Amino acid sequence: MNYEILPPRTEGRVRFSDGETWYRITGDLESGVTPLVVAHGGPGATHLYLLSLTAFADPDGPARPVIHYDQLGCGNSTHLPDADPSYWNVDLFLDELDNLLDHLGIADSYHLLGQSWGGMLASEHAVRRSAGLKRLVISNSPASMPLWLEAAAALRAELPAEVEETLRKHEEAETTDSPEYAAAMKVFYDRHVCRVVPNPPEVAAAFASIEENPTVYHTMNGPSEFHVIGSMKDWSIVDRPRRSPYRRW
């Protein structure tokens, strides 16, 4: 499918925590159409691979304003490689999203789309029941990291034996920064993460951004999509909606 990435109407930065959050707006926030806010994955993958969603702002189509932003610690936002690992947590990114909504003046009415980790963030945002959240789209996101790891283990079991052996060898030795591990990891990624090979430029750019600055990804996730040993390894939202004091359904 061919698509055109539309240019932004404006770009900006908003002060947050120990740095700044960068954002871009495609379309007109003053149009009266409820805007779509896009939360990227990773954490730390940047907005680049989700720019096809600018199509929603096409004046010949739905003409919905689309807001992309880079979460703190990656992309065009402030990088903080020396921050204490405890700094990188879900609440930080929830507060960052709220800060961006307030800055743009859309906190009372917006749609939210989260992809992968962005969907986990979006679900956390949703259970807090922000009054301005009109619609929520969760794309390719787990509701439970333990359940995701269980599924990933099943997919790993289908890899060629030598690939799985390479992965396990380096994980046990804590040498996941090895080129050999990266090559074996790509076998899994080509099968189950992005099946378009070679990866589209925007997807390759997202992976490159994590490789260039893996601080947030390694701290919260781990070295790969299937070897999750970071602070999010026990995360789950499965039982949260029914227990949430903000529940309205």
Side-chain angles (χ1 to χ4, degrees), residues 2-246:
N2 295 322
Y3 56 84
E4 179 183 3
I5 295 176
L6 299 181
R9 184 184 183 94
T10 186
E11 297 182 14
R13 295 177 179 273
V14 54
R15 186 74 189 172
F16 173 71
S17 186
D18 294 331
E20 293 180 325
T21 303
W22 173 92
Y23 62 87
R24 62 167 271 164
I25 302 171
T26 311
D28 184 4
L29 278 185
E30 304 300 323
S31 66
V33 179
T34 303
L36 173 67
V37 180
V38 180
H40 66 71
T46 80
H47 74 287
L48 291 171
Y49 72 101
L50 293 169
L51 282 174
S52 61
L53 294 172
T54 59
F56 284 109
D58 189 337
D60 296 325
R64 182 177 304 284
V66 180
I67 299 160
H68 289 83
Y69 72 104
D70 282 336
Q71 296 157 20
L72 199 65
C74 71
N76 296 318
S77 293
T78 305
H79 293 210
L80 298 165
D82 298 324
D84 188 275
S86 63
Y87 179 78
W88 305 110
N89 58 68
V90 173
D91 285 339
L92 173 77
F93 294 108
L94 287 170
D95 291 343
E96 179 183 37
L97 176 56
D98 286 342
N99 186 62
L100 178 64
L101 296 172
D102 288 339
H103 174 75
L104 296 177
I106 60 171
D108 61 345
S109 183
Y110 58 95
H111 305 312
L112 178 61
L113 183 151
Q115 196 278 333
S116 191
W117 144 253
M120 298 158 71
L121 179 65
S123 65
E124 288 275 2
H125 179 80
V127 298
R128 288 159 171 76
R129 294 302 294 171
S130 168
L133 179 60
K134 302 306 180 186
R135 288 183 176 83
L136 175 69
V137 179
I138 296 177
S139 173
N140 315 109
S141 302
S144 161
M145 196 61 80
L147 289 176
W148 158 245
L149 289 173
E150 182 180 322
L155 295 175
R156 280 183 60 159
E158 298 174 358
L159 294 173
E162 64 276 14
V163 174
E164 172 59 17
E165 173 58 29
T166 297
L167 293 173
R168 182 172 289 107
K169 177 183 70 174
H170 286 288
E171 289 165 359
E172 291 175 352
E174 299 184 358
T175 53
T176 53
D177 57 349
S178 159
E180 187 180 39
Y181 184 84
M185 183 175 72
K186 192 173 187 310
V187 176
F188 181 97
Y189 279 33
D190 287 349
R191 290 188 178 198
H192 303 299
V193 178
C194 181
R195 297 183 184 182
V196 180
V197 180
N199 293 162
E202 62 272 26
V203 175
F207 285 137
S209 67
I210 293 177
E211 185 175 351
E212 179 182 353
N213 179 15
T215 301
V216 186
Y217 186 75
H218 284 181
T219 300
M220 296 182 68
N221 185 83
S224 72
E225 294 294 281
F226 48 78
H227 187 52
V228 180
I229 56 176
S231 61
M232 294 288 290
K233 66 181 183 299
D234 298 318
W235 178 88
S236 176
I237 197 109
V238 171
D239 294 326
R240 299 272 298 288
R242 70 171 66 99
R243 297 202 311 260
S244 171
Y246 302 97

